[in-house]
Amino acid sequence: MSVGHAAALIGSIPSPGSNRLGPLHAYGLMIALGVLAAIELAARRWAKRGGDPNDMWAIAVWAVPAGLVGARLYHVITDWKTYFPDRPLDALAIWQGGLGIPGGIICGVAVGVYVGRRRGIRLPVGLDTVAPALPLAQAIGRVGNWFNQEVFGRPTDLPWGLEIDPAHRPARYAHAATFHPTFLYEALWNLALVGVLVWLDRKRILRPGDLFVVYVGGYGLGRLWVESLRSDQASLLLGVRVNIWMSLLAIVGAAVVLAVRGVRRRPGDRDEPYVGTAAATATAPER
């Protein structure tokens, strides 16, 4: 055994012996806690903008289920070989893990935008409100992957390597002891992204709506390098993991939108929370 391997065993991160916390599936519990934390953060931010915090809870009633459905569909579609033709019913076993965040974002945000417009919410302001809440939910939800012993990376001898039980190791790495905790990398990246977004929002230098675009690009950037470390089987497109393509699309798309719309605030930009209310000045007090 090498010195590096011995150090990894001594300083490694253990995996839980069970994916349950009492009667509850830990994966589902972490997702629920992430959702609640995100809604509460969005509601507080919306109230500071002069909106009714109940708007965020009302939107969540529809957007959260849509996001879960979209996330599961994305996972099943991009990893269909895991379920078809031999295990089609397992596609419904969401408690076993398997939520594709890109699909959750697309469906959840689409439904949230629809409900928000029905409630008279000004779209750019509403999107900026929820921008830091989304990576917060993602960061907390990623802890569920730890309980399921999934979404880890290639073998590593680094001191923070993650111990994985033999039953959960990819066949080609059956004799490896510790792996990159890529779910932890992504969680930490998302928490840092929350901080950056809140800081940018307080600076009031971006045009309304741009904060959400920064979130999309920032998440794509983090997912890009984390995905490159993953060891699990995944569908490929032109020999590259589908999620890497999606990350690149998010980065490029965000860059294009920011370039076309512009980044710096303009005199005519409006910050009021609802359509039809009096316009706020660009020099309003910092939130």
Side-chain angles (χ1 to χ4, degrees):
M1 179 182 294
S2 68
V3 174
H5 188 61
L9 290 176
I10 294 173
S12 60
I13 301 173
S15 288
S18 172
N19 65 353
R20 300 182 72 92
L21 291 173
L24 302 175
H25 285 277
Y27 183 81
L29 179 60
M30 291 302 106
I31 291 175
L33 291 176
V35 167
L36 290 175
I39 299 172
E40 181 62 23
L41 176 59
R44 290 174 181 267
R45 286 172 53 79
W46 189 237
K48 289 182 179 180
R49 282 171 158 77
D52 180 357
N54 290 325
D55 287 335
M56 294 297 112
W57 291 94
I59 290 173
V61 168
W62 299 96
V64 170
L68 290 174
V69 171
R72 187 60 177 179
L73 285 175
Y74 179 90
H75 167 73
V76 172
I77 291 172
T78 57
D79 197 24
W80 64 272
K81 292 181 180 179
T82 301
Y83 304 101
F84 303 99
D86 299 325
R87 301 164 49 197
L89 292 180
D90 283 357
L92 302 176
I94 192 172
W95 57 88
Q96 295 179 0
L99 293 177
I101 291 178
I105 294 172
I106 293 170
C107 292
V109 170
V111 171
V113 166
Y114 173 77
V115 177
R117 289 180 66 88
R118 292 290 299 268
R119 296 180 72 89
I121 291 175
R122 191 175 295 279
L123 180 58
V125 182
L127 287 174
D128 284 352
T129 298
V130 302
L134 295 177
L136 176 62
Q138 293 162 9
I140 297 173
R142 277 301 183 198
V143 179
N145 299 131
W146 179 53
F147 284 93
N148 278 354
Q149 295 196 43
E150 62 182 1
V151 193
F152 51 87
R154 297 190 297 271
T156 180
D157 287 337
L158 292 171
W160 56 84
L162 177 70
E163 299 174 15
I164 296 295
D165 294 339
H168 296 282
R169 298 173 190 169
R172 63 186 183 282
Y173 298 133
H175 300 294
T178 54
F179 298 78
H180 281 286
T182 47
F183 65 86
L184 177 60
Y185 297 163
E186 186 173 334
L188 294 175
W189 178 274
N190 283 333
L191 288 177
L193 185 57
V194 172
V196 170
L197 293 172
V198 170
W199 176 78
L200 284 173
D201 195 31
R202 289 176 177 172
K203 288 292 184 179
R204 292 178 57 78
I205 57 177
L206 298 179
R207 301 193 66 196
D210 281 354
L211 194 71
F212 183 82
V213 179
V214 172
Y215 153 69
V216 172
Y219 172 71
L221 181 62
R223 186 64 184 264
L224 180 64
W225 68 269
V226 169
E227 193 72 22
S228 67
L229 294 173
R230 294 267 292 267
S231 63
D232 51 321
Q233 294 292 332
S235 296
L236 304 178
L237 181 62
L238 300 178
V240 179
R241 295 171 71 100
V242 170
N243 282 330
I244 289 181
W245 286 113
M246 291 297 294
S247 298
L248 290 170
L249 180 62
I251 295 168
V252 173
V256 169
V257 171
L258 291 175
V260 172
R261 293 191 77 239
V263 176
R264 303 290 297 187
R265 293 181 66 87
R266 300 177 182 177
D269 288 338
R270 305 175 68 176
D271 294 311
E272 65 273 18
Y274 300 106
V275 175
T277 55
T281 65
T283 57
E286 186 175 294
R287 290 185 294 271

